[in-house]
Amino acid sequence: MFGKLKNYQVSGGRVTFEFEGSDGLKPCVEVITDTIFNVFVDYDGLGHRSRAIEEGFGEQAVFGQLPQKEAETEVKKEGSAVVIRSKKVTAKVNDGFAVDFYDREGNPLSLAWRGERKEKTGLSERELAMLAGEGHAISGKTKEIRAEERRSLDREDCIYGLGDKTGFLNKRHYEYVMWNSDIPDPHEDNFKSLYKSIPFMLVLKQKGVYGIFFDNHCKSFFDLGKESEDYYVFGAEEGNLDYYFIGGDSLKDVISDYTAMTGRAPMQQLWTLGYHQSRWGYESEEKIREVAEGLRRNNLPCDCIHFDIDYMDNYKVFTWNKETYQDEKKVISDLKDMGIKAVTIIDPGVKVEKDYYVYEEGVAQDFFARDTEGDIYVNAVWPGDAVFPDFGNPKVRHWWAEKQKYLIDLGVSGVWNDMNEPASFRGPLPDDVVFTDEDRPAPHSQIHNIYGHNMAKSTYEGWKEYAGKRPFVITRACYSGSQKYTTAWTGDNHSIWSHIRMMIPQICNLGMSGMNFVGADVGGFGSDATPELFARWIQAGCFMPLFRDHCALGGRRQEPWQFGEEVLAISKKYMDLRYELLPYLYDLMHETEMTGIPMVRPLVLEYEADENVRNRNDEFMLGDRMLIAPVVEQGARERMVYLPEGIWYDYWTGERREGGSFFVKEAPLDVCPVYVKAGAVIPKYPVRLHVGEDKDDLLILEAYPGEGTYGHYQDNGQDFGYRQGEFNEYKISNRNGEVTVEKQHQGYRDYGKIEVVRRFFG
Ligand code: MIG
């Protein structure tokens, strides 16, 4: 990148360099903590302009900011290099701004790549032009890459994270583009972009582990060993070279560090862990009521029905269709009486229509993006001609936050943000459409990847302010750090077997990228679910943080009772299990808020030394003690299962198994193989139809043979009182079925009753 190292200056933990050819760019390396180093080249001359790390954000110190305490640092010249040492990591800065990182014993963790670059295998200009014709140019490079970094790869390195990318758990050998993209075609493992941009990756080495967070929200590129076996490359067309190297002792450490900086997914309300029923096409009051009644008639637990774009008047946001609804407020309150909450979709595009209040207010206050001529930029989305709120402007976010009152007053319980890549029907938004990036105008190319993030942030702030509960926001598009404000779903999957398979690594990688509360549409969104596919999907989906059955207009209806008696019974079995597991899921959500470690985990996150799990795509863990091995093959009535080291119990039969090997497990259509670790305690609630249903406030502690301890957490499941100490914490010990419960924090009412159930004690 640059030439010889000429000079350097030390100020606290920050070392600023001068190289041949680096005039004015102020390349620097800064020690943030013992394990986090920042590498920065100020191409823009604007300094760090992170939208992921927010100084001063949040109610608790862990919610997304750079740690304030200064790490102990030692800086000295060694030969031609400058060596920067923290207690845990050493960086060596060489000529050309080649930065090498070592662990505390001096073993290399990540070295700059110094060799020649191989010939690029990327798309030719011609291929790019062809793809542009099909609307896929969004994934291609269009400009010169400015900020670029090339780093060495070792043979054994595996790469995880990167948000919602398609394909498999291990991202090595693939190439990705960070450019939030709405792609309706079935997502394949060769896709480079999807809806979210999370430029954070974890590298698991034969010995050692580290993370790279490339905090550049413009269009960026990751070649993770496609071009070469020997190195990976990341870079961006605009913005700065601004990345964090995170060293740690484990993948979990790296995730904790990343989420300490960008924020941790906070506790959601308890009911959000219930079952959600949705479909695009519940086009009237009658349809919604029919679905709610169907759920209850079939004795199916459910906490929420989603209102897709059908409920709006001509797809105008913050309005209701008066022709298809007599009284929306009454519908919502009738649902509430059945224990079912309403979540409404809100798109960013505002219909161009005289006298439509949202449009008029936005125009009057200059809140919509403009073209380079200064006119309000118009594209088309669901309402036809539409304009785009400039969410990067804090005033616009404030206005949009106030708009949420419309929904809150109607009794709505949460918001589902769609189309916020932003998507558009009349070609993509041109790169030069003028938006705002906080305090300065910025072209679309520089705010595209944070558009959904800013929309979610504004929605969160509105609900926090006006609803007084933990805001429940679901988004399709996001950036690093969005987990502070919003949950997410994986967008338009299809009812095809490759997509139930893909859901597992996709949710695991989102979780490792900070986005904890996520789910894929159960049953698949596009195309038509078969009874078998739906049965398998609800079995796997009931273990995901967001458990929502959703499908597209025009496709086969997909409520659990649409596939016959057998599939209905299977659905009920797993929906009931979901409700039994509520306190376990809630404990895990609490753990995520405290540590950043996601609820759903790939096996490699718990057993990183085990080479058998580094590429395990078809199993996952719920917390550290429950392993799920769903059937994701059409026609299969058995499957291969791998259990890592230790003793495991088959959740359904009690069969005891020693880990460390593969075996074939029989799995008829009603069985999703689940294993529980020896010594585990799993907290449960009695089966119920919705979370608020009173069941004597009973907590059931299921104890498995073996020894172990467990931390259980309890609060009101609704508001932020827990941050003022309104919660209980229990330490539960299991000595081979002898269970003791010790209260460790008292700030909330006690359970009506705690019951111990010993499972599989012969
Ligand atoms: O252009 O609101 O991903 O969940 O049902 C399609 C209609 C718009 C895309 C979302 C999907 C939703 C649908 N939306």
Side-chain angles (χ1 to χ4, degrees):
M1 177 178 343
F2 306 128
K4 283 214 164 340
L5 172 60
K6 292 203 300 198
N7 214 337
Y8 69 98
Q9 271 180 340
V10 185
S11 140
R14 177 186 297 157
V15 188
T16 309
F17 300 89
E18 252 180 76
F19 296 94
E20 285 168 359
S22 78
D23 302 352
L25 295 174
K26 299 181 246 166
C28 72
V29 174
E30 183 173 356
V31 181
I32 310 290
T33 69
D34 289 339
T35 47
I36 307 175
F37 284 48
N38 176 252
V39 177
F40 185 59
V41 180
D42 194 4
Y43 288 104
D44 277 346
L46 295 166
H48 297 277
R49 289 184 66 87
S50 180
R51 296 293 159 251
I53 303 166
E54 296 183 51
E55 295 298 330
F57 173 86
E59 298 80 3
Q60 285 177 11
V62 294
F63 285 93
Q65 52 187 341
L66 292 181
Q68 297 301 312
K69 137 183 140 320
E70 241 179 57
E72 257 175 63
T73 331
E74 186 199 328
V75 182
K76 61 176 188 212
K77 189 98 198 255
E78 280 181 16
S80 62
V82 174
V83 175
I84 307 167
R85 247 187 210 106
S86 74
K87 272 201 232 133
K88 293 203 165 161
V89 173
T90 299
K92 239 186 215 178
V93 182
N94 306 278
D95 288 339
F97 204 33
V99 188
D100 300 324
F101 293 98
Y102 302 85
D103 69 13
R104 86 196 90 176
E105 278 93 44
N107 303 308
L109 277 173
S110 170
L111 305 178
W113 171 254
R114 291 165 169 83
E116 280 301 300
R117 185 155 181 185
K118 294 230 174 89
E119 202 194 324
K120 290 270 316 141
T121 49
L123 294 173
S124 67
E125 289 303 316
R126 196 173 144 269
E127 284 167 318
L128 275 175
M130 276 164 56
L131 286 174
E134 292 169 9
H136 284 264
I138 35 187
S139 291
K141 290 175 190 143
T142 47
K143 301 187 189 106
E144 207 41 42
I145 303 300
R146 177 165 74 172
E148 185 173 86
E149 181 71 7
R150 236 172 294 160
R151 307 198 63 80
S152 299
L153 268 178
D154 287 336
R155 289 280 136 172
E156 302 80 11
D157 293 355
C158 294
I159 302 178
Y160 307 111
L162 292 145
D164 70 340
K165 298 293 178 261
T166 58
F168 307 98
L169 193 60
N170 183 358
K171 298 303 183 200
R172 184 169 183 165
H173 293 122
Y174 291 89
E175 181 184 39
Y176 299 102
V177 179
M178 296 296 171
W179 186 253
N180 293 354
S181 304
D182 169 25
I183 306 176
D185 306 335
H187 306 150
E188 300 278 5
D189 42 289
N190 60 351
F191 273 40
K192 295 185 173 61
S193 309
L194 269 186
Y195 310 91
K196 304 169 182 66
S197 291
I198 308 188
F200 167 62
M201 60 190 242
L202 299 121
V203 181
L204 179 61
K205 308 181 69 61
Q206 186 77 316
K207 185 173 179 302
V209 51
Y210 70 92
I212 296 274
F213 170 38
F214 180 34
D215 192 6
N216 179 317
H217 53 256
C218 305
K219 186 187 276 184
S220 67
F221 302 89
F222 286 75
D223 178 323
L224 305 179
K226 166 191 159 175
E227 187 177 306
S228 162
E229 273 297 308
D230 301 325
Y231 58 83
Y232 60 90
V233 190
F234 59 89
E237 292 173 340
E238 296 177 81
N240 293 324
L241 182 72
D242 188 354
Y243 75 87
Y244 294 83
F245 172 87
I246 307 174
D249 294 331
S250 63
L251 290 169
K252 284 188 178 178
D253 280 358
V254 175
I255 295 171
S256 273
D257 269 355
Y258 168 73
T259 53
M261 286 194 289
T262 61
R264 290 180 177 152
M267 302 279 293
Q268 293 290 331
Q269 297 178 60
L270 181 61
W271 69 263
T272 64
L273 288 170
Y275 172 76
H276 300 240
Q277 182 64 59
S278 184
R279 173 175 170 88
W280 174 15
Y282 293 154
E283 81 269 349
S284 65
E285 164 164 357
E286 287 70 38
K287 269 279 164 53
I288 292 275
R289 288 185 189 278
E290 173 219 305
V291 171
E293 278 149 23
L295 285 157
R296 293 308 183 231
R297 185 179 59 247
N298 289 295
N299 205 18
L300 295 170
C302 174
D303 266 271
C304 181
I305 293 181
H306 289 234
F307 289 59
D308 205 326
I309 49 175
D310 321 277
Y311 79 88
M312 289 183 249
D313 168 22
N314 279 303
Y315 306 124
K316 286 184 281 189
V317 289
F318 307 112
T319 71
W320 214 283
N321 189 331
K322 300 289 180 191
E323 277 160 32
T324 50
Y325 282 80
Q326 256 183 11
D327 183 351
E328 62 275 15
K329 211 168 181 168
K330 177 137 196 329
V331 176
I332 293 167
S333 91
D334 288 350
L335 288 184
K336 237 177 224 163
D337 292 343
M338 301 170 80
I340 297 175
K341 298 188 163 60
V343 161
T344 48
I345 200 168
I346 289 287
D347 293 352
V350 171
K351 184 174 176 62
V352 175
E353 186 182 280
K354 212 174 159 319
D355 297 335
Y356 162 38
Y357 77 111
V358 181
Y359 174 71
E360 295 286 1
E361 284 176 24
V363 169
Q365 298 173 88
D366 191 15
F367 283 169
F368 300 123
R370 292 180 179 274
D371 64 22
T372 47
E373 308 284 289
D375 296 325
I376 294 180
Y377 174 77
V378 181
N379 201 310
V381 273
W382 288 105
D385 279 3
V387 293
F388 296 82
D390 183 11
F391 292 116
N393 175 349
K395 286 193 196 128
V396 176
R397 286 202 297 272
H398 188 75
W399 169 65
W400 198 260
E402 281 186 334
K403 289 277 134 308
Q404 309 299 320
K405 278 197 242 176
Y406 167 82
L407 300 170
I408 294 166
D409 292 346
L410 286 174
V412 171
S413 298
V415 167
W416 164 24
N417 282 164
D418 187 19
M419 305 288 280
N420 52 358
E421 293 71 34
S424 47
F425 295 165
R426 249 188 339 248
L429 273 67
D431 276 356
D432 59 4
V433 172
V434 186
F435 287 84
T436 305
D437 183 19
E438 304 302 317
D439 51 7
R440 66 177 187 124
H444 171 232
S445 62
Q446 292 176 17
I447 64 91
H448 180 84
N449 285 342
I450 50 171
Y451 192 76
H453 173 91
N454 282 329
M455 182 186 188
K457 177 174 175 173
S458 139
T459 307
Y460 173 93
E461 281 166 358
W463 282 75
K464 177 124 202 258
E465 177 83 25
Y466 305 116
K469 303 243 170 87
R470 302 171 200 165
F472 182 49
V473 185
I474 310 174
T475 193
R476 195 167 71 173
C478 74
Y479 180 66
S480 288
S482 298
Q483 67 269 13
K484 295 187 285 280
Y485 308 116
T486 183
T487 70
W489 93 109
T490 58
D492 296 347
N493 61 0
H494 280 252
S495 302
I496 55 179
W497 288 89
S498 60
H499 277 183
I500 184 177
R501 283 197 289 276
M502 190 175 78
M503 164 177 81
I504 300 171
Q506 195 174 24
I507 303 276
C508 286
N509 275 321
L510 273 163
M512 290 201 285
S513 311
M515 291 300 291
N516 171 58
F517 199 109
V518 287
D521 287 346
V522 167
F525 174 76
S527 314
D528 305 298
T530 63
E532 183 184 1
L533 178 64
F534 186 81
R536 291 308 191 186
W537 213 317
I538 202 151
Q539 290 173 2
C542 77
F543 298 102
M544 297 302 183
L546 177 65
F547 180 30
R548 184 181 73 161
D549 172 357
H550 179 55
C551 60
L553 181 72
R556 180 174 188 170
R557 294 267 316 236
Q558 209 163 278
E559 297 81 21
W561 58 90
Q562 303 290 353
F563 302 94
E565 285 305 315
E566 187 190 9
V567 174
L568 173 60
I570 292 171
S571 301
K572 176 157 172 61
K573 171 176 167 185
Y574 288 89
M575 291 162 83
D576 283 350
L577 174 60
R578 168 73 174 207
Y579 277 72
E580 289 188 287
L581 289 174
L582 281 172
Y584 181 55
L585 293 158
Y586 200 66
D587 282 338
L588 292 174
M589 186 157 67
H590 170 65
E591 184 184 341
T592 306
E593 175 165 324
M594 302 319 289
T595 64
I597 307 306
M599 297 161 70
V600 164
R601 308 170 187 177
L603 275 55
V604 70
L605 193 50
E606 290 294 332
Y607 299 93
E608 66 185 44
D610 184 343
E611 294 194 359
N612 285 326
V613 300
R614 295 189 168 183
N615 286 288
R616 191 120 317 275
N617 292 297
D618 60 354
E619 297 178 18
F620 61 95
M621 300 202 59
L622 187 57
D624 66 354
R625 53 197 57 215
M626 212 174 207
L627 184 149
I628 327 293
V631 175
V632 290
E633 297 296 331
Q634 192 275 336
R637 293 296 180 269
E638 70 281 298
R639 61 155 288 169
M640 183 92 91
V641 175
Y642 178 77
L643 296 175
E645 62 179 19
I647 307 293
W648 299 83
Y649 289 88
D650 183 316
Y651 176 81
W652 303 110
T653 66
E655 187 191 359
R656 183 181 184 274
R657 285 228 165 238
E658 196 133 352
S661 62
F662 293 86
F663 58 96
V664 174
K665 160 78 181 161
E666 272 183 30
L669 192 58
D670 67 332
V671 173
C672 173
V674 175
Y675 295 87
V676 178
K677 198 101 207 231
V681 170
I682 306 275
K684 281 187 165 182
Y685 285 161
V687 174
R688 55 191 67 203
L689 280 178
H690 59 94
V691 294
E693 203 185 16
D694 186 21
K695 294 272 174 178
D696 299 331
D697 211 4
L698 172 66
L699 179 73
I700 300 161
L701 298 174
E702 283 190 354
Y704 285 76
E707 305 214 336
T709 56
Y710 180 74
H712 174 60
Y713 174 90
Q714 176 199 17
D715 66 16
N716 70 21
Q718 291 183 13
D719 57 28
F720 287 101
Y722 70 101
R723 295 200 181 156
Q724 270 72 54
E726 291 167 29
F727 63 88
N728 291 340
E729 231 160 4
Y730 307 80
K731 185 180 166 198
I732 299 165
S733 309
N734 174 11
R735 254 167 264 109
N736 217 15
E738 203 184 294
V739 174
T740 53
V741 181
E742 223 179 292
K743 178 89 54 68
Q744 298 214 301
H745 179 93
Q746 174 94 47
Y748 185 62
R749 68 173 162 73
D750 288 325
Y751 282 109
K753 198 177 163 202
I754 298 179
E755 205 176 275
V756 175
V757 174
R758 295 153 44 102
R759 288 202 90 195
F760 310 130
F761 278 87

